[in-house]
């Protein structure tokens, strides 16, 4: 820790947040947020539009100051030591922030010089990152001629010029096509492999599952859940048992039988004709055992029996009451910020 008082941190945390509060008029964008991001991991921050995600990133990257609470990033206090902190972080917002009038190479070189890199090192770093992000052939072209995916890759390259210890990605793949999104994901994984710590805000559940080591769910400025992906799925519950008979002709009779026994509870067994399975909602281990026993006792030869946890999208809906990407009713300030970062 570098000259920090009264800011408790976990020993292996690259980012530590305690009691963070931010108001916009009468709206509380953040309402006492606590957060720890372990070094060398990806923390995914999920939440509806206006939940406070971008406000959190803006505070951690020193763009705005909180009204209360502490935020420590890579050992530096975000309020008391903003200049030092900016030298060890990278930031990529929802929209590319590079200068469109300059060629890609000049964008990166300029950022390197602004970070006080010597000219030779700034040139070498620009060349290195253009190659790493597959932009070498477009290095001398004005950025205005780049496709959306190319701009996003250049923006990521720009955030890596100073070899940051912590990288903030605020919905980095918004508006990208699936192929380019996958390319960005691959690059983020490579960064983490190099030891970079990443805080990622996203509304794409697939993106969170691909990249995040742990998740924090934010709603109306508060942290409402956190943990590993499988942990959150298990906490929400709602396992589904998939029973696949060898003979697909047994699908509907099997579903009817399970309903008649009452083992499905208040739910109904359904048939998934795409996968030739009977789906049974499971609320307890006892119910699971009873259903498997009843099916095998029926004399139906089975090809497989598997259980599935709910999807991350279902977990998000259960926790927040919102679909991913849907705005919440009472936080216009953060929604406005997310459109401008």
């Amino acid at each position: 820790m570098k000259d920090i008082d009264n800011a408790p941190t976990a020993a292996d945390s690259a980012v530590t947040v305690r009691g963070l509060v931010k108001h916009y008029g009468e709206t509380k964008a953040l309402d006492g947020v606590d957060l720890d991001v372990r070094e060398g991991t990806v923390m995914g921050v999920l939440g509806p539009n206006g939940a406070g995600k971008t406000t959190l990133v803006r505070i951690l990257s020193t763009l705005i100051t909180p009204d209360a609470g502490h935020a420590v990033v890579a050992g530096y206090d975000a309020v008391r030591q903003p200049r030092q902190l900016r030298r060890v972080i990278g930031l990529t917002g929802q929209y590319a922030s590079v200068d469109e009038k300059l060629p890609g190479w000049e964008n990166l070189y300029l950022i390197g010089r602004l970070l006080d890199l010597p000219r030779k090192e700034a040139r070498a770093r620009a060349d290195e990152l253009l190659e790493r992000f597959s932009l070498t052939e477009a290095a001398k072209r004005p950025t205005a001629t780049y496709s959306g995916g190319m701009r996003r890759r250049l923006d990521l390259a720009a955030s890596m010029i100073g070899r940051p210890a912590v990288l903030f990605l605020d919905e980095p793949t918004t508006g990208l096509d699936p192929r380019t999104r996958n390319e960005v994901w691959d690059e983020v994984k490579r960064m983490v492999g190099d030891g970079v710590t990443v805080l990622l805000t996203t509304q794409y559940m697939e993106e969170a599952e691909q990249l995040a080591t742990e998740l924090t769910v934010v709603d109306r400025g508060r942290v409402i859940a956190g943990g590993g992906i499988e942990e959150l799925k298990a906490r929400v519950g709602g396992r589904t048992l998939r029973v696949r008979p060898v003979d697909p002709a047994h699908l509907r009779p099997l579903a009817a039988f399970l309903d008649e026994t009452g083992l499905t509870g208040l739910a109904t067994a359904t048939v998934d004709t795409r996968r030739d399975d009977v789906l049974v909602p499971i609320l307890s281990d006892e119910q699971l055992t009873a259903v498997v026993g009843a099916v095998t006792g029926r004399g139906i030869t089975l090809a497989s029996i598997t259980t599935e946890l709910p999807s991350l999208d279902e977990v998000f809906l259960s926790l927040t009451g919102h679909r991913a990407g849907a705005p919440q009713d009472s936080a216009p300030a953060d929604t406005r910020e997310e459109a401008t970062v």
Side-chain angles (χ1 to χ4, degrees), residues 181 237 339:
R181 186 176 299 163

Side-chain angles (χ1 to χ4, degrees), residues 243-247 250 253-254 257-258 261 290-303 305:
V243 183
R244 178 181 300 172
V246 170
D247 186 353
H250 290 152
L254 178 57
F257 163 71
L258 290 173
T261 63
V291 169
V292 172
V295 171
T296 54
R298 184 73 172 177
I300 297 175
T301 305
L302 300 179
I305 299 178

Side-chain angles (χ1 to χ4, degrees), residues 103-122:
W105 187 91
E106 289 189 25
N107 265 286
L108 299 186
Y109 176 76
L110 176 61
I111 292 171
R113 294 294 290 144
L114 289 172
L115 291 173
D116 292 334
L117 295 183
R119 287 184 175 84
K120 183 177 180 180
E121 184 178 349

Side-chain angles (χ1 to χ4, degrees), residues 276-293:
D276 289 336
D277 289 339
V278 174
L279 279 61
V280 183
I282 297 295
L283 299 178
S284 67
D285 291 339
E286 293 76 15
Q287 183 190 5
L288 173 61
T289 302
V291 169
V292 172

